[in-house]
Amino acid sequence: MAYRNRLTLLALLDSLIVLSAIYVSYLILHPYLEIFKLTALLVSSVALLISHHIFASIYKLYKKAWEYASIGELISIVKAVTLSVITVVIIQIVFFQDVYVRAMALTWMMHVILIGGSRFSWRMLRDRFVNNQLEIKNTLVIGAGSAGTMVVRQLLNNHDTALKPVAFIDDDPKKDKLDILGIPVVGNSKHIPEMVDKYHIDNIVIAIPSLSKKELKVIFEECVKTNAKTQIMPMIEDIMLGKVAVNQFKEVEVEDLLGREPVELDINSISEYVTGKTILVTGAGGSIGSEICRQICRFSPKKIVLLGHGENSIYQIDMELRRLYSNQIEVIPVIADIQDRERIFEVMDTHRPEVVYHAAAHKHVPLMEYNPREAVKNNILGTKNVAEAADTYGIYTFVMISSDKAVNPTNVMGSTKRVAEMVIQQLDKQSTTKFVAVRFGNVLGSRGSVIPLFKKQIQSGGPVTVTHPDMTRYFMTIPEASRLVIQAGSLARGGEIFVLDMGEPVKIVNLAENLIQLSGYAVEDIGIKYSGIRPGEKMFEELLGENEVGKAVFPKIFIGKAVLDQEIEVEYLINHFNDLTLVELKEKVINIANRNDKRVYSIAD
């Protein structure tokens, strides 16, 4: 009904405009018309009225949303009006052997002006109404290239957004002082704070898709000197695929400021050992384990077994994967504790996976200092159970998730991880299964990491607690960690420890400052409080020991192969686990992990 009413209203309005245009034109130029000319005027007006409605229908002038009208709609109006007038001129020549050239030219002009004015007034009224409803935010666009131009064009044409582009920033000196789409290029990235003040900027949009993370970090550091909100345009790939619109800007995340480009996967090598295979992931409900499952499913395994101790987390990843891959991959949720040796062997016998990703572990450093027996039970004995089950049933590849805290460990958690590495390295020497470990640093956003804690503290008004101003850590994202684990399986020869080149370590206090600024606050407003180093923590972490230095065998991945002689000590720890006191257990596991044994390292081909 609304469409019919709108169509009727536009048709009546156009009819009035058409008749008014031709009659006014004739009266202006020929105020005293003879009977013959009156007949010509009457026929011409009827012909113009009919032809206008025909061409208006052809060019869909009655179906356009005129509140969003632009140049394209104006061109359609000119075409419809021009063809209507040409039709009348032809009729005048055929029936009256005469053409009233000046009158028809004036009619054309009035026709275009009145039709166009009636349509564009809708847009003007809408713009006025919307602008009164929205609080306009002056926007500075960083990057005057094709992406930045795309962003500005979208903002100018989208009247549902309050963002108003007022200036460009670009480091190309050739673009300085130029106007692009009516928006001036006012300087380079060093001028950001100055231009934010000058143009009263509320929002900053970074629109340079080719920007490296190091370059992004430099630009962001200039942006945080202002009070403007900083965002990034979405990825071009997502725009082209229709996942997001150009003006759906994303917030700058801590991950964007790590200053390190993410590791890329060797798709072919991964597909060879994953596609069409049965994959088992322990700890599948955890941050790393669940992301491994997501990444693995992209390679179309035959079956994926989700093993975990917590039913809620396993339920969630199970439902997610079933929703995405219900007709492609068999998803099997398994509730089991890796400390239950009989149950682990039963699961391995039932599903006979070709590849096992062992992500189940206790990883919280201070918590494990108070619970060393649980750390040993889960991280060492649990790993031994899963690894020996893999060996028994001839699993092709076993990939264990380790930690940078396993290098020269000073805490129980890191020591148990190092001993777990020893367990699988010893087993690798006598097994047909290829056992490898993967080390990486802290994972941003994972359970127990500092990011969720910092965010809660910021939301509560602060202060953010940091242990020590000089404490540093290596950081990586959850997808990066998962990709490294998956890639390690394709590189495995047996007994290796894979390490990601994680760039430079990051000061925890700098991470806290970035997160405060990303949350829209000044560091002074939230505050940072130093709480002191917690039990078992080190000032800095290492990824490789002195004798573990290898060379890159894959972009940003190092690999070392160790031959160890601590079988007796590890066996003693496992066999006398229940006989040792907590103090003895803690001392024993740390001593084994830190023993300066003789090691021989070789680089896998």
Side-chain angles (χ1 to χ4, degrees):
M1 181 63 70
Y3 169 75
R4 187 176 298 173
N5 293 339
R6 184 176 182 277
L7 182 65
T8 302
L9 177 62
L10 285 174
L12 290 174
L13 178 62
D14 282 9
S15 299
L16 180 61
I17 289 173
V18 168
L19 295 176
S20 298
I22 191 168
Y23 276 104
V24 170
S25 299
Y26 269 81
L27 288 175
I28 290 174
L29 297 173
H30 306 284
Y32 304 105
L33 290 174
E34 301 171 1
I35 296 298
F36 176 78
K37 291 183 177 179
L38 285 172
T39 303
L41 173 60
L42 181 61
V43 172
S44 296
S45 61
V46 172
L48 185 62
L49 182 62
I50 294 173
S51 61
H52 170 82
H53 287 308
I54 291 173
F55 289 113
S57 177
I58 292 173
Y59 289 100
K60 300 180 179 180
L61 299 190
Y62 299 139
K63 292 187 176 182
K64 294 184 182 296
W66 292 102
E67 57 268 35
Y68 302 103
S70 61
I71 298 299
E73 284 71 23
L74 179 60
I75 292 173
S76 296
I77 290 173
V78 171
K79 287 180 179 179
V81 171
T82 301
L83 291 173
S84 300
V85 171
I86 290 174
T87 301
V88 173
V89 169
I90 293 172
I91 290 174
Q92 288 180 348
I93 293 173
V94 171
F95 291 99
F96 302 103
Q97 289 80 44
D98 193 10
V99 177
Y100 301 92
V101 177
R102 292 189 301 163
M104 293 310 299
L106 184 57
T107 298
W108 178 89
M109 186 181 301
M110 293 182 64
H111 199 164
V112 170
I113 292 172
L114 292 173
I115 293 290
S118 67
R119 298 302 196 272
F120 280 86
S121 61
W122 288 34
R123 172 172 172 172
M124 292 171 64
L125 289 172
R126 181 185 179 280
D127 288 353
R128 184 179 182 86
F129 175 76
V130 169
N131 288 342
N132 286 336
Q133 298 296 316
L134 297 175
E135 182 182 350
I136 299 301
K137 296 181 179 180
N138 290 343
T139 302
L140 178 69
V141 178
I142 299 178
S146 56
T149 303
M150 186 191 306
V151 168
V152 168
R153 181 179 286 112
Q154 181 69 15
L155 292 178
L156 291 173
N157 292 333
N158 186 356
H159 301 281
D160 290 325
T161 180
L163 301 184
K164 175 187 176 184
V166 296
F168 279 110
I169 285 288
D170 199 285
D171 287 333
D172 185 353
K174 296 178 181 178
K175 295 178 181 177
D176 193 30
K177 309 301 182 186
L178 294 181
D179 272 24
I180 301 175
L181 298 177
I183 307 299
V185 180
V186 296
N188 57 43
S189 54
K190 294 181 180 178
H191 298 130
I192 290 173
E194 176 188 347
M195 294 305 153
V196 166
D197 289 338
K198 180 177 179 180
Y199 290 93
H200 307 291
I201 299 297
D202 302 297
N203 275 57
I204 299 174
V205 176
I206 301 174
I208 313 176
S210 60
L211 208 60
S212 69
K213 292 203 171 183
K214 286 185 177 179
E215 293 169 329
L216 174 61
K217 186 176 181 181
V218 171
I219 289 177
F220 181 76
E221 286 172 353
E222 294 296 323
C223 294
V224 297
K225 294 177 183 177
T226 74
N227 293 322
K229 180 180 181 180
T230 303
Q231 295 175 296
I232 308 177
M233 74 170 292
M235 295 176 62
I236 294 294
E237 293 86 347
D238 291 338
I239 296 173
M240 299 301 292
L241 292 173
K243 294 181 180 179
V244 295
V246 175
N247 60 339
Q248 287 181 302
F249 308 120
K250 76 181 191 75
E251 303 299 324
V252 181
E253 302 289 347
V254 173
E255 292 89 335
D256 298 319
L257 306 177
L258 286 179
R260 187 188 69 256
E261 301 306 312
V263 63
E264 298 297 333
L265 294 177
D266 181 353
I267 304 299
N268 293 332
S269 65
I270 293 173
S271 297
E272 287 179 7
Y273 88 102
V274 170
T275 303
K277 304 294 195 308
T278 296
I279 311 295
L280 185 146
V281 181
T282 71
S287 306
I288 300 298
S290 61
E291 184 63 23
I292 289 173
C293 295
R294 295 184 190 97
Q295 302 265 358
I296 282 293
C297 285
R298 296 178 182 179
F299 295 93
S300 302
K302 176 185 176 182
K303 177 167 69 174
I304 185 165
V305 181
L306 314 175
L307 188 148
H309 193 210
E311 62 173 344
N312 186 55
S313 58
I314 292 297
Y315 170 79
Q316 290 177 346
I317 187 63
D318 176 48
M319 289 296 100
E320 178 183 338
L321 297 182
R322 286 178 186 275
R323 176 175 56 83
L324 295 173
Y325 304 101
S326 59
N327 299 322
Q328 306 166 42
I329 302 169
E330 184 181 1
V331 181
I332 307 294
V334 173
I335 303 300
D337 188 342
I338 61 173
Q339 298 177 36
D340 186 341
R341 184 178 179 85
E342 184 178 341
R343 173 64 169 147
I344 293 300
F345 272 72
E346 176 191 340
V347 171
M348 208 73 74
D349 183 30
T350 300
H351 299 288
R352 299 296 178 100
E354 282 94 344
V355 182
V356 172
Y357 295 99
H358 178 46
H362 288 327
K363 62 181 183 178
H364 198 277
V365 172
L367 200 58
M368 291 304 102
E369 289 299 298
Y370 295 111
N371 299 276
R373 194 173 298 280
E374 293 304 314
V376 171
K377 283 168 60 178
N378 202 64
N379 294 356
I380 298 177
L381 301 184
T383 296
K384 184 173 183 289
N385 290 338
V386 180
E388 290 182 347
D391 172 51
T392 300
Y393 294 103
I395 276 62
Y396 187 68
T397 304
F398 180 98
V399 183
M400 170 195 154
I401 313 302
S402 189
S403 167
D404 59 354
K405 295 173 179 58
V407 182
N408 299 322
T410 59
N411 54 65
V412 170
M413 196 286 283
S415 298
T416 57
K417 278 296 192 180
R418 178 66 191 120
V419 175
E421 289 178 356
M422 296 176 187
V423 168
I424 67 166
Q425 287 176 316
Q426 290 170 3
L427 192 57
D428 178 76
K429 293 188 292 185
Q430 62 192 47
S431 174
T432 57
T433 300
K434 293 186 291 186
F435 289 92
V436 298
V438 182
R439 281 184 198 158
F440 42 78
N442 294 269
V443 180
L444 292 171
S446 64
R447 296 171 192 169
S449 72
V450 296
I451 300 300
L453 173 62
F454 285 172
K455 286 183 177 179
K456 287 182 180 179
Q457 291 174 335
I458 293 169
Q459 290 171 358
S460 301
V464 172
T465 56
V466 176
T467 52
H468 192 281
D470 295 324
M471 180 170 282
T472 63
R473 289 292 183 269
Y474 291 101
F475 284 99
M476 66 190 312
T477 65
I478 292 175
E480 278 184 293
S482 303
R483 289 172 192 152
L484 175 60
V485 172
I486 295 169
Q487 190 69 65
S490 69
L491 298 171
R493 299 293 182 271
E496 301 95 343
I497 296 174
F498 294 90
V499 180
L500 175 65
D501 176 8
M502 301 182 68
E504 295 298 319
V506 177
K507 276 192 173 185
I508 302 296
V509 66
N510 292 344
L511 187 69
E513 289 171 349
N514 281 335
L515 197 58
I516 291 170
Q517 291 162 342
L518 287 171
S519 302
Y521 300 99
V523 176
E524 295 77 16
D525 295 335
I526 297 297
I528 294 177
K529 178 183 177 182
Y530 296 106
S531 58
I533 298 177
R534 298 176 297 179
E537 285 189 324
K538 294 195 294 185
M539 286 291 292
F540 61 92
E541 299 291 358
E542 304 163 90
L543 293 170
L544 286 168
E546 290 182 7
N547 298 317
E548 294 180 319
V549 178
K551 67 179 182 181
V553 293
F554 188 82
K556 301 184 182 180
I557 297 181
F558 290 89
I559 178 175
K561 186 171 183 178
V563 179
L564 307 173
D565 62 357
Q566 293 124 307
E567 288 95 336
I568 296 175
E569 289 84 350
V570 173
E571 185 177 351
Y572 178 87
L573 173 68
I574 292 172
N575 292 337
H576 294 81
F577 166 72
N578 291 318
D579 301 327
L580 298 171
T581 67
L582 288 181
V583 174
E584 290 172 336
L585 180 65
K586 186 174 181 179
E587 290 179 352
K588 188 69 176 176
V589 70
I590 291 178
N591 287 338
I592 293 175
N594 282 283
R595 179 179 172 185
N596 294 318
D597 55 277
K598 181 180 179 181
R599 306 181 187 192
V600 180
Y601 291 87
S602 62
I603 303 303
D605 295 331

